[in-house]
Amino acid sequence: MTASLTFLGAAGTVTGAKFFLEAGPARVLLECGMFQGLRELRARNWAPPPIDPARLDAVLLSHAHIDHSGYLPRLSRDGFRGPIFCSPGTADLLRIMLPDAARLQEEEAEFRNRERATRYQPALPLFTEADAARALALVRPIPFEHPVEPAEGVTATFHPSGHILGASIVDVQAGGRRLVYSGDLGRYDVPVMRDPVAIEAADTLLVESTYGNRRHPADDGTPVIVRAVQRAVEQRGVLLVPAFAIGRTQDLLYLLRELESAGRIPDVPVYLDSPMGTHATAIYARHAEEHDAAARRVAEAGGEPFVPRGFRVARTREDSKRLNGLEGPAVIIAGSGMATGGRILHHLRRRLPEPRTTVLFVGYQAAGTRGRALREGADRVRIFGADVPVRATILATDALSAHADQAELLRWLGGFRRPPAATFCVHGEPAAAAALRDAIRAQLHWACEVAEDGARTAL
Ligand code: ZN
């Protein structure tokens, strides 16, 4: 039986991950990501699927991020009825992420129709909440290290990759060959998550390359967090943290609690003003089996790893609005992480004009976002149609990244006992993927290529 793999996304780009595995009659899709970002990429979500969803046996999913899972509702709408295998943590996160992605799609279509800002009449959502519910009904959680048979003659095992809760390295046997896909790889010695599991062998290896040309800062992010909290206390102001609901929000809550108990910051009220972040934090707390030793020790000693002393949750929209009257010092964590939407916007509009406000960015800020403009020192930003002057102090750190940098990717690759017959760099912008390929060739002396979109390779 011969087996082959076709790259249908995340080849030369970071979004839209889809790898199509054929082994004899078996047809399995590895990842089912949505394309995001540039218009040409997003248009690909609307093209007819390059494979017939009804003829797929199963989907294997590395983790819940939308660039890996967001096309699932569309796939099920277009006829896919097979099982979707993923880790238990991923399954739980999908239950909040897919309906949320559907709501965004429906809101955007509604907005375009209202504003007539569309070339298509009427504008339609890529998928709806009903499509998301149909996809969720197909999800089958499989514990780490338990092999599953997604199709006849194919077995798959999930190993923790340390990137976010549930994130997996996917290890597939098909046609007598072993295909290892790194998924998104996390980092070593970071809070909460364990290190990526080392893999010793593969015939074909797909390795992500998001930061294949980058080196993260050597510090763990705590110096700038300490500085930001101290400034809020000195100024009796509010520290605003725009944060991604999944991963970054939990890291931040964990670090604030650690810094408090180590006496490095004073106790301050910490408001989590993000419904999705609140939900995700509960899921993180529930999956203690995925925490590293330090986080587990906190729980074993009777503590709650994600609960700083002054922790409060703003649940409703009214709770959120009431924070407008809040006097500092206090911390408000709210989405979205790049200040492109969500509750952080009304906090920024209210508090950016005040010099006693501090804003701390803890994640990547894409070009064209308000977050990027603020990080680059803009003296005013547009929010809800108003010109908002920026008199707050803006701080940022890249140390809380959830992706391995080049050195960490090479460290994980160093776990292989012999070179895979073929290695492909996936999930990276062209420069990042090429830089990782060059480093793999130069330092490991492996045969390595950047995956080419649409290309098919024998395993
Ligand atoms: Zn990811």
Side-chain angles (χ1 to χ4, degrees), residues 33 47-48 50 56 63 111 144 150 169 186 189 220 228 264-265 306 354-355 378 417 459:
L56 275 176
H63 68 292
F111 171 82
F144 287 124
I169 297 159
D189 309 315
D220 61 358
R264 290 177 63 193
I265 55 171
F306 306 106
E354 295 187 354
R417 296 213 166 170
L459 288 189

Side-chain angles (χ1 to χ4, degrees), residues 63 65 67-68 163-164 184 403 427:
H63 68 292
H65 277 150
D67 55 328
H68 297 255
H163 166 62
I164 60 166
D184 283 1
H403 281 276
H427 199 280

Side-chain angles (χ1 to χ4, degrees), residues 376-395:
E376 287 180 347
D379 57 4
R380 44 192 55 246
V381 286
R382 297 284 294 178
I383 301 178
F384 301 134
D387 231 354
V388 180
V390 181
R391 297 191 196 95
T393 290
I394 312 289
L395 300 173

Side-chain angles (χ1 to χ4, degrees), residues 302-366:
E304 295 179 274
F306 306 106
V307 181
R309 270 194 277 269
F311 185 59
R312 289 145 212 210
V313 173
R315 290 191 192 280
T316 64
R317 216 177 281 253
E318 287 63 43
D319 291 344
S320 177
K321 284 187 189 141
R322 220 168 292 136
L323 292 179
N324 281 333
L326 179 71
E327 292 293 322
V331 179
I332 299 176
I333 302 169
S336 71
M338 299 189 200
T340 51
R343 292 182 179 178
I344 195 69
L345 289 185
H346 83 84
H347 297 303
L348 288 170
R349 182 172 65 169
R350 153 88 174 76
R351 297 186 190 271
L352 277 176
E354 295 187 354
R356 60 180 176 157
T357 299
T358 310
V359 181
L360 172 62
F361 287 100
V362 291
Y364 178 73
Q365 303 299 314

